[in-house]
Amino acid sequence: MTNLRADLKLVVGAATAKALAKGLKIETVSDLLRHYPRRYAERGQLTDIAGLELGEHATVMARIERVNKRRMKARSGTLLEMVITDGKRRLQCTFFNQAWREKELVPGKNGLFAGKVTAFRDVLQLANPEYELFDADRQAEAMDDFLAEIIPVYPAAQGIPTWVIAKAVRQVLDVLEVDEDPMPIELLAQYGLPSLESALRGIHRPSGWDALNSARRRLKWDEAMAVQLIFAQRRHSLVSRPAKACPHTEDGILDAFDKRLPFALTSGQQEIGDEIARDLSTEHPMNRLLQGEVGSGKTVVALRAMLQVVDSGRQAAMLAPTEVLAAQHARSLREMLGDLGQAGELGGAENATRVTLLTGSMGAKERKKALLETVSGEAGIIVGTHALIQDTVSFADLGMVVVDEQHRFGVEQRDALRSRGADETSPHVLVMTATPIPRTVAMTVYGDLETSALRVMPAGRSPIKTSVVPVAERPAWLDRAWQRVREECGKGHQAYIVCPRIGDEPASDKGDKRPALAVLDVAPELAEGPLKGLKIGALHGRMPADDKDAVMQAFAKGDLDVLVATTVIEVGVNVPNATAMVIMDADRFGISQLHQLRGRVGRGSVPGLCLLVTETLDGTTTRERLAAVESTTDGFELSRMDLELRREGDILGAAQSGKKSTLKLLSLLQDEDVIAEARARASEIVEKDPALGNYLGLAHMIADVVDEDRVEYLEKS
């Protein structure tokens, strides 16, 4: 018999264990049994081929439609071409110098076909796919995994097709013995959940759909409890460390600022401002997420909160993801404050503060001055990049931290900033994002944060029209895109051209895709080609800070017609005269990023235009994402579409940590009841036993469900 912590090679053999470890990072019995089937097929039911993505390793159940063998012209040898179908669409498979397969690949047979999705002459295909045919004359032992009514199809990798994983799972389940269920018995009884062993057997080898659904419900609870226990422990830890209260001060800078505002706050800005003011007035550290559309007025809300902190005699820091954005924020805050931000300067108001910019690339003299203003307390508001959290930066009395576009920061950086409060206190933290998040996602991803959403847009924003430019199918549309840019510039407006790469780094791409387009290549091509005669500038993150600022200032002043840039312009850049944006290789960006990028246009009185240029083919999931962005400018709706079109677990940091996804079964959109119940039960358990000393099973379950690096990520994020 074996248990969940056993080394896999002791059960399935060294060769299979080595392949699973190399291809899928599966090393223990628990790793394998938590590697759940991606989907299930019923015997005789073929897989929908539509939606396959270029570069992915796919497994499909299909029927062989035709097979053709021919000599290759370019080189010696034979080419065996096979077409498989799901009854609606076809997929081509090719075998090089494997003519002998023609005897077993008989038209009419069904089977599983696995391989990397590539393209040849714009047609999707599987090259040299692995396969398992459902032959009636196969031995019963070999067909064991395919005789059942429900066939599990696993996430696979090169050299490890789904049927190899299924065989390994069968070997493990034959000798598995779960000593003790990690979930408290009273919780299992309360929610009618099966035991862990029963659930693991039911998810991999279900006797029917009811058994499968019961197993899935229990394993969803494991995922929800693991994540919510981490957050419950973190909330408990945060409350144990106090913050300095920063109550509202009558007739302070905040009141003076409010009296000078040239516009009325929206109802949302006023309401959320009151919530934040109450949070800042307590000795418990505020941890609040402020989400809102691009241009919804988050910066004004954050500035009013920072002024309340400054009125209390403390400092506020604003952390931006790029130097361009940090400089933009500092400039914007100074403009909004006017003489209220000119302490010590001629013409400064009597009760003024100072806004200081501190970035890593500042000159020695400039940096020394900024550091002195920060440590002396002369600067009430300090704006910077990650340079703010280096050990060499000391604050006089840091009372609040505003983190702008928090998803752009490493978790270690955010965690370091939280520990910069004086006298063993934590600063109040306000996290801002322009990526609207559904409530269930916020409950899971930001489990320790109170959430606020700005849904009402300030007056004066212009509409943005978005269109997909499918150059593979409509190459002439790209020429029209450049004509539109020229037309906008001819009206005295300006345009952005966004590229995924800079161009001075090695191009690395997955699959058979060409390298992503780069700023340093596209800018000169446009200047000599379709946009010849226009004043074109280039901007990217590795330019010296002074050069970046100079280019951005030139564009803001109208000295440049077109700015070719990376996503360095994604957030914070405000040029109302820019009315057009062309995003090259738009398929290389996510939905949220595309939504934020297009928010750079339409910021004035003239409607904006955003063109999404792509070579991806119609019918793929990638094109569905682009179509979603084209169809609406509602960020909250897009965030839901984004979740529906991609693996939800990635939200928990897979992209940033480089590790496998945590949520494999739990749906952040569909399992709100499980998430809410798990959050409540986890809080109760941690309240009684913060270290889980009496719940060792739950502590082990966290390790089984959420890998060690992900635990650290969730604790800090």
Side-chain angles (χ1 to χ4, degrees):
M1 304 304 288
T2 190
N3 59 42
L4 292 173
R5 275 169 186 78
D7 192 315
L8 205 51
K9 64 175 175 285
L10 300 175
V11 186
V12 302
T16 300
K18 183 178 180 180
L20 288 167
K22 181 180 179 182
L24 295 167
K25 294 183 172 58
I26 292 174
E27 298 177 347
T28 68
V29 168
S30 176
D31 289 343
L32 179 62
L33 295 183
R34 296 283 186 184
H35 185 75
Y36 307 127
R38 172 174 288 166
R39 55 184 170 81
Y40 299 85
E42 289 187 83
R43 175 152 303 285
Q45 183 182 70
L46 304 181
T47 302
D48 191 357
I49 290 175
L52 290 180
E53 286 294 313
L54 193 66
E56 75 170 311
H57 195 284
T59 301
V60 297
M61 186 186 295
R63 178 179 297 111
I64 300 175
E65 187 173 77
R66 63 176 184 271
V67 179
N68 178 51
K69 181 179 69 177
R70 61 182 176 83
R71 304 289 300 179
M72 288 188 285
K73 296 179 181 179
R75 52 181 176 172
S76 60
T78 59
L79 181 68
L80 189 66
E81 297 175 319
M82 174 177 66
V83 175
I84 59 177
T85 179
D86 61 3
K88 303 173 188 174
R89 292 204 177 196
R90 295 175 176 81
L91 184 64
Q92 188 155 323
C93 302
T94 54
F95 300 89
F96 297 96
N97 295 319
Q98 299 176 55
W100 54 272
R101 295 188 183 276
E102 187 178 17
K103 294 181 180 179
E104 61 181 15
L105 296 174
V106 179
K109 283 189 176 181
N110 291 351
L112 289 170
F113 303 87
K116 183 179 177 182
V117 181
T118 58
F120 180 68
R121 293 177 180 171
D122 292 335
V123 176
L124 294 182
Q125 67 170 7
L126 300 179
N128 293 318
E130 298 173 279
Y131 56 86
E132 185 84 352
L133 299 176
F134 300 152
D135 292 337
D137 58 351
R138 293 288 297 272
Q139 294 295 318
E141 182 180 353
M143 287 296 295
D144 187 45
D145 290 313
F146 305 108
L147 288 175
E149 177 188 354
I150 303 172
I151 302 171
V153 180
Y154 291 90
Q158 189 68 38
I160 315 174
T162 181
W163 47 90
V164 170
I165 299 170
K167 182 180 178 182
V169 168
R170 184 178 70 245
Q171 289 177 276
V172 166
L173 290 178
D174 285 345
V175 294
L176 177 67
E177 186 175 287
V178 178
D179 301 328
E180 185 177 351
D181 200 300
M183 201 76 80
I185 189 167
E186 62 272 15
L187 193 147
L188 295 178
Q190 181 181 356
Y191 295 101
L193 301 173
S195 69
L196 177 59
E197 182 170 340
S198 175
L200 290 173
R201 293 184 185 280
I203 196 79
H204 292 289
R205 301 179 67 75
S207 58
W209 291 107
D210 287 345
L212 174 58
N213 291 333
S214 178
R216 286 172 64 90
R217 186 165 181 269
R218 161 60 204 266
L219 297 172
K220 284 182 178 184
W221 262 94
D222 284 11
E223 293 181 359
M225 279 295 286
V227 172
Q228 293 301 340
L229 281 167
I230 292 170
F231 280 132
Q233 288 178 314
R234 188 159 180 273
R235 286 194 299 273
H236 187 274
S237 174
L238 284 171
V239 170
S240 66
R241 181 169 176 160
K244 290 185 177 179
C246 300
H248 177 257
T249 302
E250 294 291 339
D251 298 322
I253 306 177
L254 174 56
D255 285 353
F257 175 74
D258 282 347
K259 289 175 183 175
R260 299 184 183 191
L261 270 178
F263 52 84
L265 295 173
T266 65
S267 58
Q269 287 173 318
Q270 189 64 60
E271 182 181 330
I272 293 170
D274 292 343
E275 290 176 346
I276 293 172
R278 287 193 294 270
D279 288 347
L280 293 175
S281 300
T282 71
E283 293 184 350
H284 295 296
M286 175 180 73
N287 285 281
R288 183 172 290 276
L289 171 70
L290 173 59
Q291 56 174 323
E293 294 280 15
V294 172
S296 61
K298 297 184 298 295
T299 304
V300 172
V301 173
L303 176 55
R304 294 183 70 245
M306 290 190 286
L307 291 179
Q308 179 170 327
V309 171
V310 172
D311 277 338
S312 297
R314 299 187 175 88
Q315 294 168 296
M318 177 177 261
L319 191 58
T322 66
E323 292 195 348
V324 168
L325 182 54
Q328 177 87 15
H329 271 317
R331 193 178 302 117
S332 176
L333 294 179
R334 289 180 188 131
E335 288 173 358
M336 283 193 284
L337 285 171
D339 62 354
L340 292 173
Q342 297 173 357
E345 299 179 32
L346 189 64
E350 185 178 344
N351 59 344
T353 187
R354 174 169 294 185
V355 178
T356 292
L357 176 66
L358 179 57
T359 60
S361 62
M362 295 173 80
K365 182 178 179 181
E366 207 176 9
R367 180 175 172 78
K368 183 178 180 181
K369 180 176 180 290
L371 287 170
L372 284 173
E373 291 176 352
T374 302
V375 72
S376 68
E378 187 179 344
I381 298 175
I382 303 94
V383 184
T385 59
H386 64 278
L388 276 186
I389 56 176
Q390 294 174 353
D391 292 337
T392 53
V393 180
S394 296
F395 296 90
D397 188 355
L398 183 61
M400 179 185 182
V401 175
V402 177
V403 182
D404 191 20
E405 294 308 324
Q406 84 103 26
H407 68 283
R408 298 281 296 272
F409 287 93
V411 289
E412 291 80 8
Q413 294 170 328
R414 297 196 298 274
D415 191 53
L417 194 56
R418 284 195 181 102
S419 65
R420 297 306 298 273
D423 304 326
E424 297 302 312
T425 62
S426 292
H428 297 282
V429 175
L430 179 66
V431 172
M432 300 198 303
T433 177
T435 306
I437 302 164
R439 176 176 173 267
T440 45
V441 181
M443 284 171 60
T444 305
V445 184
Y446 302 102
D448 60 314
L449 299 181
E450 296 295 325
T451 60
S452 300
L454 280 172
R455 292 180 175 271
V456 180
M457 298 290 283
R461 291 286 296 188
S462 298
I464 303 171
K465 178 175 174 54
T466 304
S467 297
V468 175
V469 180
V471 293
E473 303 144 44
R474 301 281 192 275
W477 285 21
L478 183 58
D479 295 334
R480 177 58 185 147
W482 301 132
Q483 289 175 12
R484 287 292 289 114
V485 170
R486 295 192 76 97
E487 288 168 9
E488 289 300 308
C489 293
K491 297 174 185 175
H493 304 312
Q494 295 163 278
Y496 296 100
I497 313 294
V498 181
C499 301
R501 281 198 309 127
I502 295 173
D504 60 354
E505 75 281 5
S508 60
D509 285 88
K510 296 179 180 178
D512 298 327
K513 286 184 175 180
R514 58 158 174 75
L517 293 173
V519 167
L520 297 181
D521 298 326
V522 170
E525 288 175 9
L526 292 175
E528 294 299 318
L531 301 185
K532 189 173 183 178
L534 297 180
K535 291 171 286 185
I536 298 175
L539 182 70
H540 59 77
R542 282 205 283 271
M543 292 169 63
D546 289 346
D547 291 353
K548 282 188 287 191
D549 200 48
V551 171
M552 202 60 244
Q553 285 296 308
F555 189 65
K557 292 176 182 175
D559 295 339
L560 296 174
D561 299 310
V562 176
L563 185 63
V564 183
T566 58
T567 55
V568 71
I569 56 101
E570 180 182 350
V571 288
V573 176
N574 184 26
V575 181
N577 192 47
T579 58
M581 174 177 286
V582 180
I583 303 178
M584 309 302 295
D585 284 340
D587 49 282
R588 313 278 180 133
F589 302 96
I591 283 181
S592 297
Q593 201 168 30
L594 291 171
H595 181 56
Q596 285 210 15
L597 283 167
R598 70 174 167 190
R600 298 306 104 205
V601 297
R603 301 179 74 85
S605 58
V606 179
L609 172 69
C610 180
L611 302 176
L612 308 177
V613 179
T614 181
E615 293 180 355
T616 55
L617 301 176
D618 189 22
T620 61
T621 304
T622 303
R623 277 289 288 275
E624 285 184 48
R625 287 195 295 109
L626 297 182
V629 178
E630 181 182 45
S631 68
T632 181
T633 55
D634 184 332
F636 287 89
E637 177 64 23
L638 283 174
S639 69
R640 294 188 69 87
M641 291 183 186
D642 199 12
L643 284 177
E644 290 166 358
L645 290 172
R646 66 186 175 96
R647 290 287 305 278
E648 291 175 325
D650 293 344
I651 289 181
L652 290 189
Q656 291 194 50
S657 71
K659 298 294 180 181
K660 58 191 176 185
S661 174
T662 297
L663 302 186
K664 299 174 182 178
L665 296 175
L666 191 71
S667 168
L668 300 180
L669 293 178
Q670 299 171 14
D671 297 316
E672 182 175 357
D673 59 334
V674 175
I675 293 171
E677 290 287 348
R679 182 181 173 92
R681 300 293 82 77
S683 296
E684 291 171 0
I685 290 170
V686 170
E687 190 66 34
K688 292 186 293 185
D689 187 0
L692 300 180
N694 297 318
Y695 296 91
L696 293 180
L698 289 177
H700 288 147
M701 188 181 74
I702 291 174
D704 286 340
V705 176
V706 188
D707 64 65
E708 186 177 339
D709 287 346
R710 188 58 49 74
V711 171
E712 183 180 357
Y713 179 91
L714 289 173
E715 286 176 339
K716 291 180 177 179
S717 62

